[in-house]
Amino acid sequence: MTLDPEQLGRSKADLAEALRDLRKRAGLTGDRLAKRCAMSQSKISKIETGKTTASLMDVERIVRAVGAPPELVSEVMALARMANTEWQDKRFSWRRGLEKRQAELAALESESTEMRYFLPSMLTGLLATPEYVRASLTHSPGGKSKTVARKLERQAVLYDRSKRFTFLLTGQAIRWAVVPPSAMAVQIDRLASLSRLPNIGIGVVPDGVTIPRGPLNTFTIYDDRLVTAETFTGRIVFQDSRDVAQHREVFDMYATFALYGDDVREYLDVRVQSLLRDL
């Protein structure tokens, strides 16, 4: 699916209108359609008015119930896929202020119980030392002191034992020199320390492992309800259960190649010693 940000913005209203039109073409009232779909009439009403975004499963039930022709089914299902996807422009985030994005992430972390982070090239702010955080914001516009402070404040969530975190990194993410060697040694040592917390799993896919599928982008899975995928120009938010499930499958596939526990701590220590020798 090609993601056009303008289409993503229109798609929720377009989907609501398309489903309402399909019901009317079929000569059904909202109540009759609700019974055919085993939904409540109020849910059908909220879907048709755009107050609730229909999931792909909801849409499949509705198009079957109204007997929509195949060409309309394809069109409506494409709309449903876009309606369950959101584009967040990075330039817009910069204009709002980067600290506001940190507040949004803190809310997501607060609302979630299990979080999975796939990090193919760099570390996430939750794992970062202050020096790494500051360096990672070098090319972001505007003042950064508030953003750095908010990123570091968010790290407190790691110590909430009611939550489970799994961070899956590649060897490249460990090697990428965001800060000088001495600071990278401190950063990697922090990873080893965090890996000992009972609610945190840190895995590293080491260099040289043969994997038929290359890592494409950073993404985070919040429970089984939402995924954010990062690009250079922004982020895509997937809320459809099928997109979430597909990201979970990708995560689990890479996880089978990773080192954990004592093995990952030994791997990280070798990297620290290498950095210290180079000083």
Side-chain angles (χ1 to χ4, degrees), residues 127-239:
L127 299 174
T129 61
E131 189 166 356
Y132 192 104
V133 170
R134 283 191 289 271
S136 69
L137 293 171
T138 298
H139 297 289
S140 301
K144 302 175 184 65
S145 59
K146 289 183 179 179
T147 303
V148 171
R150 290 305 302 269
K151 276 180 174 281
L152 297 177
E153 286 171 10
R154 280 176 48 220
Q155 293 177 358
V157 75
L158 294 174
Y159 302 93
D160 183 343
R161 299 294 177 87
S162 69
K163 299 181 184 295
R164 172 73 186 171
F165 299 87
T166 305
F167 299 94
L168 187 56
L169 301 88
T170 66
Q172 175 177 306
I174 301 298
R175 295 193 317 275
W176 196 261
V178 176
V179 291
S182 59
M184 277 303 296
V186 173
Q187 172 62 79
I188 295 171
D189 188 61
R190 171 173 164 76
L191 296 181
S193 297
L194 288 172
S195 74
R196 296 184 181 277
L197 293 178
N199 63 320
I200 293 179
I202 292 181
V204 176
V205 180
D207 298 330
V209 175
T210 301
I211 305 177
R213 184 172 187 175
L216 297 178
N217 56 272
T218 297
F219 63 83
T220 304
I221 307 171
Y222 295 92
D223 296 322
D224 287 319
R225 62 188 176 86
L226 183 148
V227 173
T228 61
E230 303 289 332
T231 74
F232 277 114
T233 57
R235 65 189 59 84
I236 304 167
V237 182
F238 298 97
Q239 299 182 69

